[in-house]
Amino acid sequence: MNNANDTQAPLYLDGTHVALETILEVAEGRRPARLSEDAAFRKRIARGSAFLETLLEEDGVVYGVTTGYGDACTRAVPAEDVAQLPHRLYTFHGCGLGETLSVEAARAVVLVRLISLCRGVSGVSLELLERLAWLLEHDVVPVIPEEGSVGASGDLTPLSYLAAVLCGEREVIDNGRRRPAAEALEERGLKPYRLKPKEGLALMNGTAVMTALGCFAFVRCAYLSRLATRITALSVHALAGNPYHFDAELFAAKPHPGQGRVAAWLREDLHTPDTPRNSPRLQDRYSTRCAPHVIGVIEDSLPWWRQFLENELNSANDNPLIDADIGKVMHGGHFYGGHVAFVMDGLKQAAANLADLLDRQLALLVDTRYNHGLPSNLSGASLERLPLNHGYKAVQIAASAWSAEALKLTMPASVFSRSTECHNQDKVSMGTIAARDALRVLTLVEQVTAAALHAACQGAELRSRREDADPLPERLAAFLDDCRRDIPPLVEDRALDAEFNRLCERIRQRHWSLYDAG
């Protein structure tokens, strides 16, 4: 973990709006998060907890506090057992399986749940918020299994692992080391937390896991959109393609703003501000000519994806909500993650199309029927060594495999609602599955992108050796020089897996600065 104190000022949580990128800043260790000391904020939290106590005294019955959960809401819990109920909730939900979330993703889950509870309508105590903030401050991160959530009532099973850790149960990653939560708390002189009446429900009955994963998916997809544009520019140059397919007047006739922005980036990269009266080379294949139309779907979707995700991120999404200011308990279904599911299902389809686009560009680059004079398979070997060398032949096969797998995973998860929990949860969002699918698709797209980037750099350099070649435009030349710090040209065949892994890491780090915000 990076030392966040050396990078950015702390994020103070007080119930006000938090931007999507801020989640990654905290999750990736680039920014600390603190609970606000603002008196008005703290009083608001305290009023909610006090109002719940008043309700219990005056009404005697509050869902999930003096009753069972879900379809058991009609079953009264004896007064002497009320204190045990929230602990029972996380206990019986301890059935998660599969891989565990990355440390970064688990940090994000803690932060997202804390942001929601800071809205002040969940009936929780200030002490609970302080314990969540403590986990982030000390980098004690719950170990959270990925599988077991249907996305309504929220992320119950994965979030049970957060609740349990606060209470000294299950496991944590403690500054990089996996260990029992009880040990990590005891070592720091902190007693396990005792959940107050509604706090188990407030912690678990929300959309924190799907939303946290959605934030990562959004940022990764946005970066891939720009990198795919840069690779397309390199590929167009390497293929001696027609740079006038991205003409400004052409795109004014179909005015999707994101699509037009991609075309503008390509014009800038290829240094083609003006289009001749009639281009000498008529029409390139769709994987280059229509690149703005493919990539533009993402660019035009990013604003509404952000709106959906940031609204969810900054919402109170447990049930019931308890508003002390207006003096009532509100029962509803804010734990339903339909907006996140819809974004993730759309995002993974748009991202998989990036993989397909770049794979098709790579197929053109390696094929002498379509690459306009480049060597077969982009081999950089000398003539006498050519019979032994096969260049990017296997790379294109692998890229097609990764693309196919990404495309296969684009089936929307949200349409697979299942009736659960004795038909109480009879319509669910599957938002967490959609988010997990999206992240897997993005990993595959990043692999295709790494292969396409490696090949496009090779193709651009091979093109520059030809006497009839135009010089590589300045922006592309600078980008190529930067890439060459990680990936040398392919002359004699060599295993490329380590280089692809390095490029994938660079992509996930958003290593290259790509275009102005626009």
Side-chain angles (χ1 to χ4, degrees), residues 385-427:
R385 298 288 296 170
L386 202 54
L388 284 173
N389 285 277
H390 293 79
Y392 288 82
K393 182 185 287 290
V395 171
Q396 199 275 313
I397 296 170
S400 283
W402 300 326
S403 298
E405 186 173 349
L407 292 163
K408 179 179 71 69
L409 292 173
T410 57
M411 175 72 75
S414 56
V415 301
F416 287 95
S417 175
R418 311 292 299 158
S419 183
T420 65
E421 205 247 314
C422 300
H423 297 290
N424 176 50
Q425 301 175 13
D426 61 348
K427 174 61 178 168

Side-chain angles (χ1 to χ4, degrees), residues 226-418:
R226 295 182 171 215
L227 185 54
T229 304
R230 177 58 52 80
I231 294 169
T232 295
L234 276 174
S235 296
V236 169
H237 181 85
L239 291 164
N242 183 350
Y244 303 114
H245 287 321
F246 316 118
D247 177 82
E249 285 74 25
L250 173 66
F251 279 86
K254 190 177 184 181
H256 296 294
Q259 176 180 280
R261 188 161 57 247
V262 174
W265 291 338
L266 289 167
R267 288 196 302 275
E268 294 166 8
D269 278 355
L270 294 165
H271 196 57
T272 52
D274 299 311
T275 299
R277 175 178 174 178
N278 195 9
S279 176
R281 179 167 166 181
L282 298 182
Q283 296 190 153
D284 291 339
R285 283 166 175 79
Y286 288 10
S287 61
T288 54
R289 193 192 342 160
C290 298
H293 307 77
V294 177
I295 303 169
V297 170
I298 292 176
E299 289 297 316
D300 281 306
S301 298
L302 287 171
W304 70 263
W305 289 349
R306 175 187 293 278
Q307 177 192 350
F308 277 26
L309 290 172
E310 286 193 349
N311 280 348
E312 192 73 34
L313 167 63
N314 290 283
S315 71
N317 45 66
D318 56 297
N319 178 59
L321 296 184
I322 297 173
D323 194 322
D325 293 338
I326 60 177
K328 66 179 179 181
V329 179
M330 300 172 287
H331 294 86
H334 285 355
F335 47 69
Y336 189 87
H339 284 76
V340 178
F342 191 58
V343 170
M344 292 295 100
D345 279 346
L347 182 150
K348 68 188 180 187
Q349 292 175 20
N353 268 307
L354 286 186
D356 197 25
L357 180 80
L358 295 176
D359 175 48
R360 294 303 84 206
Q361 291 178 8
L362 177 52
L364 295 179
L365 285 167
V366 300
D367 195 328
T368 55
R369 294 172 296 174
Y370 309 113
N371 66 16
H372 296 277
L374 296 179
S376 177
N377 292 302
L378 297 180
S379 177
S382 62
L383 282 175
E384 60 271 17
R385 298 288 296 170
L386 202 54
L388 284 173
N389 285 277
H390 293 79
Y392 288 82
K393 182 185 287 290
V395 171
Q396 199 275 313
I397 296 170
S400 283
W402 300 326
S403 298
E405 186 173 349
L407 292 163
K408 179 179 71 69
L409 292 173
T410 57
M411 175 72 75
S414 56
V415 301
F416 287 95
S417 175
R418 311 292 299 158

